[in-house]
């Protein structure tokens, strides 16, 4: 399973992706159905569920607002 964090803009998503990369967490930018189920227009960052707590902490710590989160197969 992949964890998806939903962000409000592509700018936030790209910043979050860079932060995760710098901390050893591989992620992908996504606009999948999982993102659309949380917010009609938004961007998501998907990564392995194992990294979920650390990733959320890093993103929030960088001042990036998280709109929601969901899971993706």
């Amino acid at each position: 399973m992949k964890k998806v964090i939903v962000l409000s803009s592509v700018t936030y998503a790209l910043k979050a992706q860079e932060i995760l990369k710098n901390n050893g967490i591989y992620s992908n930018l996504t606009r999948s159905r999982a993102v659309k189920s949380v917010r009609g227009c938004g961007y998501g960052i998907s990564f392995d569920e194992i990294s979920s707590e650390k990733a959320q902490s890093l993103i929030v710590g960088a001042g990036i607002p998280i709109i929601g989160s969901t899971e993706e197969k």
Side-chain angles (χ1 to χ4, degrees):
M1 282 278 213
K2 294 275 187 179
K3 183 76 169 184
V4 180
I5 291 178
V6 181
L7 307 168
S8 62
S9 70
V10 69
T11 302
Y12 280 143
L14 291 170
K15 286 181 182 180
Q17 187 176 36
E18 186 66 24
I19 289 165
L20 296 180
K21 178 183 169 187
N22 291 339
N23 285 276
I25 300 173
Y26 178 78
S27 64
N28 288 311
L29 188 65
T30 183
R31 290 211 36 151
S32 68
R33 288 184 192 160
V35 172
K36 291 177 184 177
S37 72
V38 175
R39 180 175 178 163
C41 62
Y43 293 82
I45 296 288
S46 69
F47 48 86
D48 288 328
E49 193 170 22
I50 295 171
S51 305
S52 180
E53 287 184 39
K54 182 178 180 184
Q56 287 184 16
S57 176
L58 289 167
I59 291 169
V60 170
I64 298 172
I66 295 176
I67 293 174
S69 64
T70 187
E71 294 180 350
E72 183 176 78
K73 292 182 181 180

